[in-house]
Short mmCIF file of all heavy atoms in Angstrom, two decimals:
data_model
loop_
_atom_site.label_atom_id
_atom_site.label_comp_id
_atom_site.label_asym_id
_atom_site.label_seq_id
_atom_site.Cartn_x
_atom_site.Cartn_y
_atom_site.Cartn_z
N LEU A 194 -3.12 -5.05 10.88
CA LEU A 194 -4.07 -3.92 10.82
C LEU A 194 -3.50 -2.85 11.76
O LEU A 194 -2.77 -3.12 12.70
CB LEU A 194 -5.48 -4.32 11.22
CG LEU A 194 -5.73 -4.75 12.64
CD1 LEU A 194 -6.18 -3.61 13.51
CD2 LEU A 194 -6.81 -5.84 12.67
N ASP A 195 -3.82 -1.57 11.44
CA ASP A 195 -3.43 -0.45 12.28
C ASP A 195 -4.68 0.03 13.04
O ASP A 195 -5.50 0.72 12.47
CB ASP A 195 -2.86 0.67 11.41
CG ASP A 195 -2.43 1.86 12.21
OD1 ASP A 195 -2.69 1.91 13.45
OD2 ASP A 195 -1.83 2.80 11.66
N ASN A 196 -4.80 -0.44 14.29
CA ASN A 196 -6.06 -0.14 15.02
C ASN A 196 -6.17 1.32 15.42
O ASN A 196 -7.21 1.72 15.91
CB ASN A 196 -6.27 -1.11 16.16
CG ASN A 196 -5.20 -0.98 17.23
OD1 ASN A 196 -4.46 -0.03 17.27
ND2 ASN A 196 -5.14 -2.02 18.08
N THR A 197 -5.14 2.10 15.19
CA THR A 197 -5.27 3.55 15.46
C THR A 197 -6.08 4.23 14.37
O THR A 197 -6.51 5.38 14.52
CB THR A 197 -3.89 4.23 15.59
OG1 THR A 197 -3.22 4.21 14.31
CG2 THR A 197 -3.05 3.58 16.66
N LYS A 198 -6.25 3.56 13.24
CA LYS A 198 -6.97 4.14 12.11
C LYS A 198 -8.43 3.71 12.06
O LYS A 198 -9.21 4.31 11.30
CB LYS A 198 -6.29 3.74 10.77
CG LYS A 198 -4.90 4.29 10.61
CD LYS A 198 -4.35 3.87 9.25
CE LYS A 198 -2.95 4.41 9.01
NZ LYS A 198 -2.31 3.82 7.84
N CYS A 199 -8.81 2.72 12.85
CA CYS A 199 -10.19 2.22 12.75
C CYS A 199 -11.18 3.27 13.19
O CYS A 199 -11.02 3.88 14.25
CB CYS A 199 -10.33 0.98 13.63
SG CYS A 199 -9.29 -0.40 13.12
N PRO A 200 -12.27 3.48 12.40
CA PRO A 200 -13.32 4.38 12.86
C PRO A 200 -13.91 3.85 14.17
O PRO A 200 -14.04 2.66 14.38
CB PRO A 200 -14.36 4.30 11.73
CG PRO A 200 -13.67 3.71 10.58
CD PRO A 200 -12.54 2.84 11.13
N SER A 201 -14.26 4.77 15.05
CA SER A 201 -14.84 4.42 16.33
C SER A 201 -16.01 3.46 16.19
O SER A 201 -16.92 3.74 15.41
CB SER A 201 -15.28 5.69 17.07
OG SER A 201 -15.82 5.37 18.31
N GLY A 202 -16.01 2.38 16.90
CA GLY A 202 -17.11 1.45 16.94
C GLY A 202 -17.11 0.40 15.83
O GLY A 202 -17.88 -0.52 15.85
N CYS A 203 -16.18 0.53 14.84
CA CYS A 203 -16.15 -0.47 13.79
C CYS A 203 -15.60 -1.78 14.32
O CYS A 203 -14.59 -1.79 15.01
CB CYS A 203 -15.29 0.02 12.62
SG CYS A 203 -15.28 -1.18 11.24
N VAL A 222 -9.44 -3.16 18.09
CA VAL A 222 -9.42 -4.44 17.41
C VAL A 222 -7.95 -4.88 17.24
O VAL A 222 -7.09 -4.09 16.86
CB VAL A 222 -10.06 -4.33 16.03
CG1 VAL A 222 -9.93 -5.63 15.23
CG2 VAL A 222 -11.54 -3.97 16.18
N ILE A 244 -11.92 1.05 5.42
CA ILE A 244 -10.78 1.96 5.19
C ILE A 244 -9.58 1.14 4.61
O ILE A 244 -8.45 1.63 4.69
CB ILE A 244 -10.37 2.71 6.44
CG1 ILE A 244 -10.07 1.77 7.61
CG2 ILE A 244 -11.49 3.70 6.84
CD1 ILE A 244 -9.38 2.46 8.78
N ASN A 246 -7.82 -1.33 5.70
CA ASN A 246 -6.83 -1.26 6.77
C ASN A 246 -6.22 -2.63 7.10
O ASN A 246 -5.39 -2.72 8.00
CB ASN A 246 -7.57 -0.74 8.03
CG ASN A 246 -6.62 -0.33 9.14
OD1 ASN A 246 -5.46 -0.07 8.89
ND2 ASN A 246 -7.16 -0.30 10.35
#
Side-chain angles (χ1 to χ4, degrees):
L194 67 92
D195 180 353
N196 63 16
T197 66
K198 294 182 179 169
C199 297
S201 178
C203 182
V222 175
I244 58 168
N246 193 21

